């Protein structure tokens, strides 16, 4: 690593190996912004610091980063971060800090979450439409118009809101200290330096002869060759028999999701797990995909008896003028009075251009269905309150599922490592994440948060609420955190330092992350 700016003489060998017991002191620094930073981004940086914070205040983690990007080229790990393309600044989200309110409870058979967060932008329940414009069909996916400040012509899509969380039972080394930062690496999609589709498709593990993927998503460093913490390169995957052994030993992280469009109308979540890739759990999810063509349109449309002309109207979608609380299980009550914003086999028919091919016609690309198997372990139901500008989401599942091979089992009296996140208007890295926390099942557990034991269904008015700060994580990844460009790489590699040790103020962490991205520093 390099030393702080005030100490560095610019020499390539000017490094300090920081032991764990000194990391919290040595890694202190000060937040800075480059000259010429646009005013909206500068305001967001200052807001992240907080009204009472001052620019000279100790920011805890700001000194973690190399001061001279060109010095990264001399990194002994062989990664030239200075050559990696950066993102456009106008894609930084309007908010870089969000508060998530959480309640949790369990009875003798089930576990329950209740999430609540502010989301004033309407339309977060809309997702991925095929739209007829100017004589051809086009896809409206992401990002949404409200993702970033300013008027961005490419921001015209519809991407559903989500609440997700990572869950482990102590089997994954390092997760309790670093949480989701362990799952993002050089090569991951939507980050500078992402692996190309051609590279992934030709890889024997991920490509056509393996998982059939064209991108790299979250994975654990334990799934790659070398020491437990090593993540580079992304294609150095352990042999399948070793991955199978890791899986049997519980070395994977659970990743359930509430999806506001693709799962919520069916009153389910979707269930995933992370080892060598972000896998969907076995079984069928709540959504499928229909093919479409610019000239010929989609395969299916709405039944014209249910939705006039077999399609929704793009202008009404832009105004979010379709009711959100239209759950499939209650369709006997609302069908015929309200038009559904999602496709389902009960009200979709083969596409007929004579009926639906008119200017502004919009048809969802993702038909919904009843899930089954391990993919259906989590139930979920969410309501967006337009007047209050907030989501309230409940998620629940059995403590012990029938699928321990890809789902962490829950037991009263035990403590779990847990890290929630929120997505809004876009996928991948444009989201807000929490630090890793300890979640205990029962008041007597040694944990940050305690799920309350109850009889029957939860009465949420009687259950304690926790407010958790979530931050925009920027471009910080595990590859950088374990490289010599990170001042705390030794205690990180040794799993002797937690993010809490040197970043104990999430607000200042958010300011640091944004400040580095505004400064157009290379991938860190």
């Amino acid at each position: 690593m390099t030393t702080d700016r005030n100490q560095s003489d610019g020499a390539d060998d000017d490094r300090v190996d920081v032991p764990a017991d000194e990391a919290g002191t040595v890694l202190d620094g000060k937040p800075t912004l480059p000259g010429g930073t646009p005013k909206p981004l500068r305001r967001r940086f200052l807001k992240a610091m907080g009204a009472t914070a001052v620019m000279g205040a100790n920011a805890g983690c700001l000194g973690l980063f190399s001061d001279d990007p060109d010095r990264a080229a001399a990194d002994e790990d062989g990664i030239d971060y200075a050559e990696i393309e950066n993102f456009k600044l106008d894609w930084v989200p309007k908010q870089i800090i969000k508060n998530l309110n959480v309640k949790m409870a369990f009875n003798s058979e089930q576990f329950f979450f209740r999430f609540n967060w502010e989301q004033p932008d309407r339309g977060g329940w809309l997702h991925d439409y095929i739209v007829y414009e100017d004589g051809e069909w086009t896809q409206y996916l992401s990002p949404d118009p409200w993702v970033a400040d300013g008027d961005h012509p490419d921001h015209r899509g519809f991407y559903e809101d989500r609440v997700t969380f990572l869950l482990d039972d102590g089997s994954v080394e390092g997760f309790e200290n670093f949480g989701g930062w362990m799952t993002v690496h050089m090569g991951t999609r939507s980050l500078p330096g992402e692996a190309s589709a051609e590279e992934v498709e030709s890889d024997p593990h991920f490509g056509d002869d393996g998982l059939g993927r064209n991108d790299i998503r979250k994975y654990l460093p334990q799934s790659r060759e070398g020491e437990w913490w090593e993540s580079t390169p992304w294609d150095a995957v352990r042999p399948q028999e070793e991955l199978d052994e890791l899986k049997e030993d519980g070395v994977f992280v659970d990743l359930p999701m509430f999806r506001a469009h693709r799962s919520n109308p069916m009153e389910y979540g979707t269930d995933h797990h992370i080892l060598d890739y972000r896998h969907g759990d076995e079984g069928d999810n709540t959504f499928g995909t229909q093919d479409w063509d610019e000239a010929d349109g989609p395969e299916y449309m709405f039944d014209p008896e249910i939705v006039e002309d077999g399609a929704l109207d793009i202008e009404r979608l832009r105004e979010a003028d379709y009711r959100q609380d239209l759950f499939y299980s209650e369709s006997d009550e609302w069908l015929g009075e309200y038009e559904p914003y999602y496709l389902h086999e009960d009200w979709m028919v083969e596409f007929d251009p004579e009926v639906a091919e008119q200017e502004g016609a919009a048809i969802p690309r993702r038909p919904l269905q009843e899930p089954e198997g391990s993919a259906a372990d989590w139930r979920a139901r969410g309501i967006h309150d337009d007047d209050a500008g907030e989501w309230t989401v409940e998620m629940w599942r059995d403590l012990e599922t029938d699928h321990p091979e890809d789902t962490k089992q829950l037991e009263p009296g035990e403590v779990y490592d847990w890290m929630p996140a929120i997505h809004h208007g876009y996928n991948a890295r444009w989201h807000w994440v929490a630090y890793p926390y300890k979640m205990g099942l029962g008041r007597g557990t040694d944990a940050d948060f305690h799920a309350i034991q109850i009889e029957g269904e939860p009465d949420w008015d009687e259950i304690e609420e926790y407010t958790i700060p979530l931050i925009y994580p920027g471009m910080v990844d595990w590859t950088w955190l374990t490289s010599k460009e990170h001042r705390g790489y030794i205690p990180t590699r040794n799993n002797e330092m937690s993010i809490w040790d040197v970043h104990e103020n999430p607000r200042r962490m958010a300011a640091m992350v944004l400040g580095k991205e505004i400064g157009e520093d290379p991938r860190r």
Side-chain angles (χ1 to χ4, degrees):
M1 56 149 268
T2 56
T3 57
D4 288 338
R5 185 184 301 273
N6 293 336
Q7 298 173 325
S8 175
D9 62 5
D12 287 339
D13 61 352
D14 185 14
R15 299 177 181 273
V16 177
D17 295 342
V18 184
D21 59 354
E22 298 178 11
T25 300
V26 176
L27 301 185
D28 285 350
K30 296 181 180 180
T32 59
L33 281 176
T37 299
K39 288 183 179 179
L41 297 182
R42 184 175 293 274
R43 284 196 298 270
R44 251 180 283 165
F45 179 90
L46 294 173
K47 182 179 179 181
M49 286 298 296
T52 60
V54 295
M55 294 304 290
N58 174 1
C61 54
L62 294 171
L64 285 172
F65 293 90
S66 298
D67 300 295
D68 181 359
D70 291 335
R71 297 179 61 185
D75 182 17
E76 295 174 12
D77 292 331
I79 304 167
D80 188 353
Y81 290 91
E83 293 300 319
I84 298 174
E85 182 182 358
N86 289 304
F87 277 93
K88 297 178 181 179
L89 293 179
D90 62 12
W91 281 44
V92 174
K94 288 185 287 189
Q95 291 178 276
I96 64 168
I97 297 178
K98 274 186 176 291
N99 284 336
L100 177 64
N101 303 311
V102 185
K103 297 184 179 185
M104 51 193 77
F106 68 99
N107 59 29
S108 60
E109 296 181 352
Q110 292 184 304
F111 187 93
F112 307 87
F113 279 116
R114 181 185 183 274
F115 300 102
N116 170 267
W117 71 96
E118 179 183 321
Q119 191 52 73
D121 296 324
R122 301 182 70 243
W125 53 91
L126 305 174
H127 183 82
D128 196 359
Y129 289 82
I130 309 303
V131 180
Y132 191 72
E133 287 185 325
D134 300 325
E136 67 177 18
W137 292 89
T138 186
Q139 185 178 16
Y140 273 51
L141 178 56
S142 64
D144 288 359
W146 46 74
V147 168
D149 285 337
D151 182 15
H152 308 289
D154 292 336
H155 293 205
R156 64 174 191 171
F158 301 101
Y159 202 95
E160 66 192 348
D161 290 347
R162 288 182 287 163
V163 59
T164 71
F165 54 88
L166 298 171
L167 179 70
D168 182 47
D169 56 6
S171 299
V172 179
E173 184 174 2
F175 185 78
E176 67 174 335
N177 286 328
F178 303 103
W181 276 276
M182 281 186 63
T183 69
V184 184
H185 311 262
M186 179 71 72
T188 303
R189 66 171 180 164
S190 82
L191 282 166
E194 67 180 350
S196 69
E198 292 77 14
E199 289 176 306
V200 178
E201 289 170 347
S202 64
D203 184 84
H205 182 79
F206 296 104
D208 295 337
D209 295 330
L211 298 180
R213 304 296 183 175
N214 61 9
D215 62 15
I216 297 301
R217 304 191 183 185
K218 295 178 183 295
Y219 65 83
L220 294 179
Q222 287 90 338
S223 67
R224 271 39 178 188
E225 298 283 3
E227 300 292 337
W228 75 269
W229 49 265
E230 292 187 275
S231 64
T232 305
W234 59 266
D235 56 354
V237 184
R238 293 185 182 277
Q240 187 61 52
E241 56 268 24
E242 293 186 25
L243 295 177
D244 292 342
E245 290 177 6
L246 288 170
K247 191 87 172 297
E248 290 178 7
D249 292 339
V251 183
F252 66 89
V253 176
D254 229 338
L255 176 56
M257 297 186 185
F258 161 84
R259 301 175 184 260
H261 183 125
R262 286 179 285 177
S263 72
N264 186 44
M266 303 304 296
E267 294 176 276
Y268 280 89
T270 62
D271 209 354
H272 313 257
H273 62 279
I274 301 169
L275 179 54
D276 55 312
Y277 194 79
R278 195 202 79 185
H279 296 279
D281 285 5
E282 291 295 323
D284 292 328
N285 263 323
T286 52
F287 61 91
T289 303
Q290 63 164 319
D291 291 331
W292 67 282
D293 181 83
E294 291 181 357
D296 298 330
E299 295 179 87
Y300 302 100
M301 66 181 189
F302 289 98
D303 184 342
E305 297 291 325
I306 303 298
V307 174
E308 185 177 2
D309 296 326
L312 305 176
D313 179 70
I314 185 60
E315 293 304 323
R316 288 188 62 191
L317 286 173
R318 286 179 174 135
E319 297 298 321
D321 189 30
Y322 290 96
R323 283 193 61 161
Q324 178 269 322
D325 57 342
L326 302 179
F327 297 99
Y328 174 72
S329 66
E330 301 167 356
S331 57
D332 288 345
E333 301 174 15
W334 55 261
L335 201 60
E337 181 177 0
Y338 299 104
E339 293 179 322
Y341 59 88
Y342 57 93
L343 271 182
H344 188 276
E345 62 182 7
D346 285 4
W347 51 75
M348 73 182 192
V349 297
E350 289 189 13
F351 176 70
D352 184 350
E354 296 294 326
V355 175
E357 198 164 84
Q358 64 263 337
E359 187 70 15
I363 298 172
R365 193 172 71 98
R366 301 287 199 162
L368 304 192
Q369 61 194 17
E370 192 72 19
E372 61 181 26
S374 183
D377 278 340
W378 281 93
R379 301 298 306 270
R381 182 182 171 101
I383 297 289
H384 186 269
D385 186 327
D386 290 346
D387 293 332
E390 64 183 23
W391 275 105
T392 299
V393 172
E394 294 185 28
M395 297 182 68
W396 65 98
R397 54 154 266 203
D398 290 343
L399 294 174
E400 294 186 11
T401 74
D402 294 330
H403 312 103
E405 67 280 358
D406 54 22
T407 302
K408 298 289 183 175
Q409 304 299 288
L410 301 175
E411 295 183 29
E414 296 298 321
V415 175
Y416 299 86
D417 299 308
W418 179 72
M419 183 180 183
I422 291 173
H423 291 252
H424 173 60
Y426 199 71
N427 66 346
R429 80 179 183 97
W430 285 272
H431 63 319
W432 299 266
V433 303
Y435 285 13
Y437 290 91
K438 295 289 187 181
M439 179 185 73
L441 271 65
R443 291 190 182 276
T445 55
D446 184 13
D448 301 304
F449 308 130
H450 298 94
I452 304 305
Q453 189 163 9
I454 59 173
E455 298 290 336
E457 300 292 317
D459 179 352
W460 294 118
D461 291 337
E462 300 297 322
I463 295 174
E464 181 179 6
E465 182 173 86
Y466 301 96
T467 298
I468 303 172
L470 311 183
I471 69 169
Y472 170 62
M475 294 186 286
V476 176
D477 70 352
W478 188 248
T479 306
W480 179 84
L481 287 169
T482 56
S483 77
K484 293 181 174 64
E485 289 304 311
H486 176 214
R487 303 198 66 180
Y489 79 96
I490 288 181
T492 300
R493 291 179 180 185
N494 292 336
N495 195 26
E496 296 173 340
M497 178 179 72
S498 167
I499 186 175
W500 287 102
D501 294 333
V502 291
H503 303 275
E504 65 179 351
N505 187 326
R507 182 176 293 276
R508 288 175 176 171
M509 172 69 164
M512 177 273 292
V513 167
L514 179 59
K516 301 304 289 186
E517 190 160 345
I518 290 172
E520 299 186 5
D521 278 4
R523 170 72 177 276
R524 291 161 293 282

